[in-house]
Amino acid sequence: MLALVLILLQTPPPAQQTQKVEITADRVEISQRTGTVAFKGAVKVTRGDLILTCETLTGLYDDRRLKSLTASGHVRVQRGDLSASSNQAIYHEADQRLVLSGAPRVQRGDATLTGRNITIWLSSERIVIDKPVGAF
């Protein structure tokens, strides 16, 4: 059953197709009827050099293809020298966009920025911050 979940969550872009997704959690719940999967408790997602941790991760899928993931509770994202945190993060598979909300914060080196929302496009590492506040 967990293998099915990992297959569902492995929809990387062509450049990353060889990278596997590894998810660990205390519990997983799958509903094929509603097209949802929920990982609960000490969730850790690893894909290449990207690591995401949170308390709960809920995914929506259709026809075995991932549509979106919602991470909540002490969300932390690490990729190389970029780190981010928030109360919630929503990942949109179609454009590989991660939207952080609820006290979002992003840090790279000595620069730290906060804002209302922080959007990170993972494929291009483009970052947009709504109402930014921070130090460089």
Side-chain angles (χ1 to χ4, degrees):
M1 186 82 77
L2 185 56
L4 171 65
V5 172
L6 293 177
I7 289 169
L8 292 173
L9 296 178
Q10 289 182 346
T11 56
Q16 296 180 355
Q17 284 185 354
T18 59
Q19 292 182 340
K20 292 185 178 184
V21 175
E22 182 179 315
I23 301 174
T24 58
D26 294 334
R27 178 184 175 107
V28 64
E29 297 175 18
I30 302 166
S31 174
Q32 292 180 353
R33 186 174 56 82
T34 61
T36 60
V37 59
F39 296 90
K40 298 180 180 184
V43 179
K44 182 178 180 182
V45 180
T46 305
R47 179 176 169 191
D49 64 347
L50 176 75
I51 299 171
L52 181 142
T53 59
C54 60
E55 294 175 8
T56 303
L57 181 70
T58 304
L60 297 174
Y61 61 91
D62 187 24
D63 295 326
R64 294 185 154 187
R65 297 203 49 95
L66 176 68
K67 292 168 59 176
S68 67
L69 291 170
T70 301
S72 58
H74 300 98
V75 178
R76 304 283 182 264
V77 180
Q78 182 74 42
R79 185 179 198 186
D81 65 344
L82 176 73
S83 62
S85 62
S86 65
N87 295 326
Q88 182 178 26
I90 300 174
Y91 174 71
H92 304 273
E93 175 63 22
D95 56 2
Q96 294 189 347
R97 177 173 40 106
L98 184 66
V99 180
L100 304 159
S101 61
R105 172 187 203 94
V106 66
Q107 183 172 358
R108 177 173 267 159
D110 292 334
T112 301
L113 295 167
T114 62
R116 183 183 319 147
N117 292 308
I118 297 175
T119 303
I120 303 170
W121 282 266
L122 299 176
S123 60
S124 64
E125 293 192 19
R126 176 178 168 219
I127 300 172
V128 174
I129 303 169
D130 294 330
K131 303 287 182 182
V133 175
F136 294 91

